[in-house]
Amino acid sequence: MHPPLNRPHPECQNEIANLQECHATKKFWNLSACNVVKRQLDECFKKEKENLLKVLNKDMMFKRQQEEDSFADAVGHTQTFEEYLAKDKDYQKACQESNKDNGSNSDRQQYQTKSMGGRMS
C-alpha cells in the first residue's frame, strides 16, 4: 500500500506518473507487472519522508529545552530531577546499599545513561 497519489509529493512526481502509466497499460490479472515501479515509488516516498522529518526536527532539542524551561517556571522548579536526586539523602543511602549488595553500580549507571539518551549529568 502507498499513500494517496493525489496528494502533493513534489519529489516523487516521476515515480507516480510511471506507476499510473504501468497500471493503465498492464493487464489487471498480472498482479506482479508493476512491482519494480512500485518499489521505486516506495523508495522515493521513504526519502521524501526522511527529508521532511529532518526539516521538522532540526530544532527539536532547542524546542524541548524551551518546553522544559517553561514547565519548570510554571511549577516553580529550579533544579533538574538529577540535581534533586543528588541532594536526596534517602536516595543516596539506597544507592549505597544497592552497591554493597551488587558489588558495583554499573547496571544502574548503564540504565541511567540509556534513559538520559546517552548523556549523564
Side-chain angles (χ1 to χ4, degrees):
M1 294 294 294
H2 53 73
L5 300 179
N6 58 353
R7 294 183 183 164
H9 296 283
E11 298 175 16
C12 301
Q13 288 303 312
N14 291 337
E15 288 80 2
I16 290 172
N18 291 342
L19 183 65
Q20 289 173 340
E21 180 183 338
C22 183
H23 284 167
T25 59
K26 303 295 182 190
K27 304 244 185 244
F28 178 73
W29 53 267
N30 189 357
L31 297 176
S32 63
C34 299
N35 282 354
V36 173
V37 179
K38 171 70 169 73
R39 282 190 206 103
Q40 291 171 348
L41 180 65
D42 290 341
E43 286 298 317
C44 184
F45 282 153
K46 183 177 178 181
K47 290 177 186 174
E48 185 180 63
K49 185 175 182 179
E50 288 173 357
N51 292 339
L52 178 64
L53 288 174
K54 284 179 186 177
V55 169
L56 293 175
N57 292 329
K58 72 177 180 181
D59 297 336
M60 181 187 62
M61 294 305 288
F62 176 71
K63 290 176 185 176
R64 182 173 177 164
Q65 187 61 46
Q66 281 183 323
E67 289 174 0
E68 289 178 2
D69 293 344
S70 297
F71 177 76
D73 290 342
V75 296
H77 292 177
T78 57
Q79 60 186 355
T80 66
F81 185 66
E82 289 78 22
E83 292 170 342
Y84 172 79
L85 287 179
K87 295 178 183 178
D88 186 11
K89 293 178 182 177
D90 292 333
Y91 177 76
Q92 296 299 324
K93 182 178 177 183
C95 288
Q96 288 175 352
E97 290 174 3
S98 174
N99 289 342
K100 289 178 187 175
D101 294 340
N102 296 335
S104 75
N105 62 355
S106 62
D107 290 339
R108 182 174 56 85
Q109 286 177 341
Q110 287 177 358
Y111 173 77
Q112 286 179 342
T113 302
K114 288 180 185 177
S115 68
M116 294 297 296
R119 58 184 164 85
M120 284 290 292
S121 55

